[in-house]
Amino acid sequence: MKKMLKVVLLLSTLTLVSSVYAEATPQKLAIDRDGVKVWTYKEDGNPTMNFRATTVLDSTLVGAVAVVMDTDHSAEWAPYTGKALILDRNDQAGTFILRMDLDFPFPLKDRDVVISGRLSQAPDGVVTIKNDVTTDGRAPVRDKFIRIDHYQGLWQFKPLPKSASGKPQVEVTVSGYADPNGMLPKSIVNLFVQEQPFEMLRNMKNYVKAAKYQQATVVGVKEF
C-alpha cells in the first residue's frame, strides 16, 4: 500500500492547487522525524489534501537543485516514481515539459502526468521550480495508464548560513497537490500525501551528497 500515491516529483514530484501554500490556511503537522516535517491542509475544491514538507540539506544550493532537475535518476530517491520522458527542455529559459510515470501497486492501474515546469532564482538567492499539469500531443494517453489531470507543485531552495562545521546548507520545501483519479479511497490517498513527501526528502538528504551533484552546475542558478 505504500505505493498508493505518487506525487511529485518533481518535481517532484515532483510538487504540486495553489502552487504556493497559503499561510492563512490552517495546517496540521502530520510528520516530524528524521529532520523532515510534513504539514497537510485542505483547500476548497480539492477532494484530497494539500501538503507542505521541509528539511535542511548539507549541500550547496546548486547541488540541491541539480538533484531535482536530474529527472533521469529521480526514481532512485523519489519513492514510487517511474520513468520520466523529457518532451522539451530549455535550460537558458529554465523551462521544461516532461511525462512522469507513477508506479501503483497491483491490482491498481499505474498513473502518469504531463508536467510543465519553470526554474527561477530570486535576487535573494532563493530558487523555485514551479510545476503545473499540461497537455502535449507528444504524450498521448496510454491504455496502461490513468492520466492525472489535476496537479500543481512547487519546490523552493533557500540558501542558509554554513553549519558549525563549515558545510553549506540549504532549506528545501516542497508543497502541492495531486488528484490521482480513479476509484481510490480518499482516506488512503490522503495518508500518502504525508508519507510520500516525507520519504522523498529523507532520501534526498543522503542522495544529494554525491560528488556529481556537489560539483554540478545548473544554468541560471548561482551560489549565495
Side-chain angles (χ1 to χ4, degrees):
M1 296 300 287
K2 280 192 173 182
K3 293 188 177 181
M4 190 68 73
L5 181 64
K6 297 296 313 164
V7 166
V8 287
L9 182 248
L10 266 159
L11 296 141
S12 16
T13 217
L14 295 138
T15 174
L16 339 142
V17 113
S18 159
S19 60
V20 184
Y21 69 91
E23 290 285 359
T25 302
Q27 299 182 29
K28 173 186 176 182
L29 180 60
I31 297 176
D32 183 1
R33 65 179 186 270
D34 297 340
V36 179
K37 294 183 178 181
V38 181
W39 293 265
T40 60
Y41 58 101
K42 192 71 169 63
E43 291 282 358
D44 291 341
N46 293 349
T48 56
M49 299 292 287
N50 288 55
F51 76 90
R52 177 171 67 95
T54 187
T55 194
V56 174
L57 306 179
D58 291 327
S59 172
T60 63
L61 177 64
V62 173
V65 175
V67 169
V68 175
M69 294 300 291
D70 183 12
T71 54
D72 287 342
H73 296 92
S74 59
E76 296 175 6
W77 60 276
Y80 326 131
T81 301
K83 181 180 178 181
L85 174 64
I86 300 295
L87 301 172
D88 187 73
R89 184 163 180 167
N90 185 330
D91 288 338
Q92 296 300 322
T95 60
F96 58 86
I97 298 175
L98 63 83
R99 184 186 68 203
M100 177 66 70
D101 294 347
L102 309 173
D103 297 332
F104 276 57
F106 180 83
L108 299 176
K109 201 169 185 179
D110 289 341
R111 268 64 171 170
D112 70 3
V113 59
V114 180
I115 297 169
S116 173
R118 177 178 292 275
L119 179 151
S120 61
Q121 185 171 29
D124 62 359
V126 174
V127 175
T128 59
I129 302 174
K130 184 178 182 296
N131 302 313
D132 292 284
V133 71
T134 190
T135 58
D136 193 295
R138 294 168 292 184
V141 175
R142 296 170 290 173
D143 291 340
K144 294 184 179 180
F145 292 83
I146 294 176
R147 176 62 50 88
I148 292 175
D149 54 15
H150 195 181
Y151 161 93
Q152 286 186 330
L154 185 78
W155 285 87
Q156 183 181 74
F157 306 84
K158 180 181 179 181
L160 299 175
K162 289 184 178 180
S163 67
S165 61
K167 294 181 179 180
Q169 292 189 308
V170 181
E171 180 185 71
V172 178
T173 302
V174 58
S175 60
Y177 167 84
D179 185 347
N181 287 340
M183 299 300 293
L184 297 177
K186 295 304 180 185
S187 60
I188 297 298
V189 173
N190 287 337
L191 173 63
F192 292 101
V193 168
Q194 303 172 26
E195 293 295 336
Q196 197 275 345
F198 166 74
E199 293 181 17
M200 180 171 63
L201 290 187
R202 183 174 61 176
N203 292 346
M204 190 178 181
K205 290 170 74 71
N206 286 322
Y207 196 81
V208 73
K209 295 177 181 179
K212 69 174 182 178
Y213 297 119
Q214 294 307 302
Q215 299 170 9
T217 60
V218 176
V219 176
V221 178
K222 61 181 181 180
E223 295 294 333
F224 266 72

